Amino acid sequence: MLYILGMTVIEKFRSDVERSIKFNRSENNGRYDAAKACDYIQNLFIRNCVISSSIARSIIFYWRDEYIDHSENFANEPKSENIDKLCAFLSFLNGADEGEEVLSDEDLQELNEAINDEAETMPLEQLQSLMGKLVERGAL
Protein backbone atom coordinates (compact mmCIF):
# COMPACT_ATOMS: atom_id res chain seq x y z
CA MET A 1 0.00 0.00 0.00
CA LEU A 2 1.27 3.46 -0.88
CA TYR A 3 1.54 6.11 1.83
CA ILE A 4 2.08 9.83 1.53
CA LEU A 5 3.22 11.59 4.73
CA GLY A 6 1.32 9.17 6.98
CA MET A 7 -1.69 9.09 4.66
CA THR A 8 -2.52 6.46 2.11
CA VAL A 9 -2.93 7.58 -1.48
CA ILE A 10 -6.69 7.10 -1.14
CA GLU A 11 -6.83 9.16 2.07
CA LYS A 12 -4.86 11.90 0.34
CA PHE A 13 -7.20 11.76 -2.65
CA ARG A 14 -10.23 12.10 -0.34
CA SER A 15 -8.56 15.01 1.41
CA ASP A 16 -7.85 16.70 -1.94
CA VAL A 17 -11.48 16.20 -3.02
CA GLU A 18 -12.82 17.67 0.22
CA ARG A 19 -10.35 20.56 0.04
CA SER A 20 -11.39 21.30 -3.55
CA ILE A 21 -15.05 21.46 -2.48
CA LYS A 22 -14.20 23.92 0.29
CA PHE A 23 -12.08 25.96 -2.10
CA ASN A 24 -14.93 26.03 -4.61
CA ARG A 25 -17.20 27.57 -1.97
CA SER A 26 -14.65 30.13 -0.83
CA GLU A 27 -13.78 31.08 -4.40
CA ASN A 28 -17.46 31.79 -5.11
CA ASN A 29 -18.25 33.80 -1.97
CA GLY A 30 -19.93 30.87 -0.24
CA ARG A 31 -21.92 29.76 -3.26
CA TYR A 32 -21.12 26.25 -4.32
CA ASP A 33 -20.79 25.42 -8.03
CA ALA A 34 -21.31 21.64 -8.13
CA ALA A 35 -20.60 21.32 -11.85
CA LYS A 36 -17.27 23.12 -11.55
CA ALA A 37 -16.35 21.13 -8.43
CA CYS A 38 -17.16 17.85 -10.13
CA ASP A 39 -15.14 18.83 -13.20
CA TYR A 40 -12.14 19.43 -10.96
CA ILE A 41 -12.70 16.15 -9.08
CA GLN A 42 -12.99 14.32 -12.38
CA ASN A 43 -9.57 15.58 -13.48
CA LEU A 44 -8.13 14.84 -10.05
CA PHE A 45 -9.34 11.24 -10.29
CA ILE A 46 -7.76 10.74 -13.71
CA ARG A 47 -4.45 12.20 -12.50
CA ASN A 48 -4.44 9.96 -9.41
CA CYS A 49 -5.32 6.73 -11.19
CA VAL A 50 -2.15 4.71 -11.82
CA ILE A 51 -3.57 2.57 -14.61
CA SER A 52 -4.74 3.44 -18.09
CA SER A 53 -6.20 6.92 -18.41
CA SER A 54 -8.86 5.39 -20.70
CA ILE A 55 -10.08 3.16 -17.87
CA ALA A 56 -9.95 6.07 -15.44
CA ARG A 57 -12.02 8.19 -17.84
CA SER A 58 -14.57 5.41 -18.33
CA ILE A 59 -14.99 4.99 -14.58
CA ILE A 60 -15.14 8.68 -13.72
CA PHE A 61 -17.72 9.28 -16.47
CA TYR A 62 -19.76 6.35 -15.14
CA TRP A 63 -19.49 7.69 -11.57
CA ARG A 64 -20.52 11.16 -12.64
CA ASP A 65 -23.46 9.94 -14.73
CA GLU A 66 -24.67 7.32 -12.26
CA TYR A 67 -24.17 9.14 -8.96
CA ILE A 68 -23.82 12.87 -9.62
CA ASP A 69 -25.47 14.25 -12.73
CA HIS A 70 -28.82 12.53 -12.10
CA SER A 71 -28.89 13.27 -8.40
CA GLU A 72 -32.10 14.74 -7.01
CA ASN A 73 -29.95 17.31 -5.23
CA PHE A 74 -27.23 18.02 -7.79
CA ALA A 75 -26.41 21.39 -6.24
CA ASN A 76 -24.92 19.59 -3.21
CA GLU A 77 -22.93 16.94 -5.05
CA PRO A 78 -20.74 15.13 -4.47
CA LYS A 79 -22.20 13.98 -1.17
CA SER A 80 -20.06 12.03 1.26
CA GLU A 81 -21.35 8.65 0.09
CA ASN A 82 -20.52 9.55 -3.51
CA ILE A 83 -17.02 10.59 -2.49
CA ASP A 84 -16.74 7.22 -0.72
CA LYS A 85 -17.77 5.52 -3.95
CA LEU A 86 -15.21 7.47 -5.96
CA CYS A 87 -12.47 6.64 -3.46
CA ALA A 88 -13.47 2.97 -3.70
CA PHE A 89 -13.14 3.08 -7.49
CA LEU A 90 -9.70 4.66 -7.20
CA SER A 91 -8.70 2.14 -4.58
CA PHE A 92 -9.80 -0.74 -6.79
CA LEU A 93 -7.95 0.57 -9.83
CA ASN A 94 -4.81 1.46 -7.88
CA GLY A 95 -4.73 -1.85 -6.00
CA ALA A 96 -5.04 -0.18 -2.60
CA ASP A 97 -7.92 -2.30 -1.18
CA GLU A 98 -9.46 0.55 0.81
CA GLY A 99 -13.21 0.91 1.20
CA GLU A 100 -14.07 -1.18 -1.84
CA GLU A 101 -17.00 -2.81 -0.05
CA VAL A 102 -19.18 0.16 -1.09
CA LEU A 103 -18.94 -0.86 -4.74
CA SER A 104 -22.20 -2.38 -5.95
CA ASP A 105 -22.57 -5.24 -8.41
CA GLU A 106 -23.34 -2.65 -11.09
CA ASP A 107 -20.16 -0.75 -10.21
CA LEU A 108 -18.14 -3.95 -10.48
CA GLN A 109 -19.73 -4.71 -13.85
CA GLU A 110 -18.75 -1.25 -15.05
CA LEU A 111 -15.18 -1.86 -13.86
CA ASN A 112 -15.18 -5.19 -15.66
CA GLU A 113 -16.34 -3.60 -18.92
CA ALA A 114 -13.82 -0.76 -18.69
CA ILE A 115 -10.98 -3.18 -17.97
CA ASN A 116 -12.03 -5.54 -20.77
CA ASP A 117 -12.13 -2.65 -23.23
CA GLU A 118 -8.47 -1.91 -22.48
CA ALA A 119 -7.25 -5.46 -21.76
CA GLU A 120 -5.15 -5.75 -24.91
CA THR A 121 -3.13 -2.65 -24.08
CA MET A 122 -2.60 -3.30 -20.35
CA PRO A 123 0.45 -4.95 -18.82
CA LEU A 124 -0.42 -8.59 -18.10
CA GLU A 125 0.37 -8.35 -14.37
CA GLN A 126 -1.93 -5.36 -13.96
CA LEU A 127 -4.71 -7.07 -15.91
CA GLN A 128 -4.39 -10.26 -13.85
CA SER A 129 -4.51 -8.30 -10.61
CA LEU A 130 -7.65 -6.38 -11.56
CA MET A 131 -9.40 -9.43 -12.97
CA GLY A 132 -8.49 -11.39 -9.83
CA LYS A 133 -10.17 -8.73 -7.71
CA LEU A 134 -13.27 -8.93 -9.88
CA VAL A 135 -13.35 -12.72 -9.55
CA GLU A 136 -12.93 -12.39 -5.77
CA ARG A 137 -15.95 -10.11 -5.65
CA GLY A 138 -17.98 -12.44 -7.87
CA ALA A 139 -18.28 -9.92 -10.67
CA LEU A 140 -17.26 -12.37 -13.40
Side-chain angles (χ1 to χ4, degrees):
M1 196 171 308
L2 299 172
Y3 292 90
I4 298 176
L5 300 174
M7 296 176 91
T8 66
V9 171
I10 304 306
E11 289 169 339
K12 175 151 181 5
F13 175 75
R14 174 184 296 284
S15 175
D16 290 346
V17 167
E18 291 169 349
R19 190 175 312 116
S20 73
I21 290 169
K22 287 178 185 174
F23 179 76
N24 179 286
R25 280 193 175 94
S26 69
E27 185 179 59
N28 295 308
N29 296 323
R31 297 183 119 174
Y32 181 63
D33 182 344
K36 186 176 178 181
C38 288
D39 288 345
Y40 179 82
I41 292 166
Q42 186 172 306
N43 291 326
L44 185 65
F45 180 86
I46 293 168
R47 284 193 314 268
N48 278 274
C49 192
V50 298
I51 66 166
S52 158
S53 61
S54 295
I55 293 173
R57 279 188 192 86
S58 292
I59 295 304
I60 194 68
F61 293 152
Y62 164 78
W63 172 80
R64 186 145 178 193
D65 182 61
E66 188 72 18
Y67 297 102
I68 304 300
D69 291 343
H70 295 103
S71 170
E72 291 178 12
N73 196 1
F74 176 77
N76 292 318
E77 290 292 351
K79 296 180 287 196
S80 180
E81 60 265 19
N82 291 333
I83 295 171
D84 291 345
K85 186 77 74 167
L86 187 59
C87 288
F89 278 124
L90 186 63
S91 174
F92 185 96
L93 294 172
N94 284 2
D97 300 321
E98 292 178 52
E100 294 172 16
E101 63 279 352
V102 301
L103 297 175
S104 68
D105 290 343
E106 292 80 17
D107 296 334
L108 294 171
Q109 283 298 78
E110 190 65 30
L111 281 163
N112 182 35
E113 289 175 25
I115 292 164
N116 280 330
D117 287 347
E118 295 295 318
E120 291 181 11
T121 62
M122 292 176 67
L124 185 57
E125 183 179 293
Q126 194 175 57
L127 178 62
Q128 287 175 326
S129 173
L130 293 172
M131 295 307 267
K133 289 173 81 170
L134 288 169
V135 167
E136 241 177 62
R137 293 285 306 269
L140 296 180

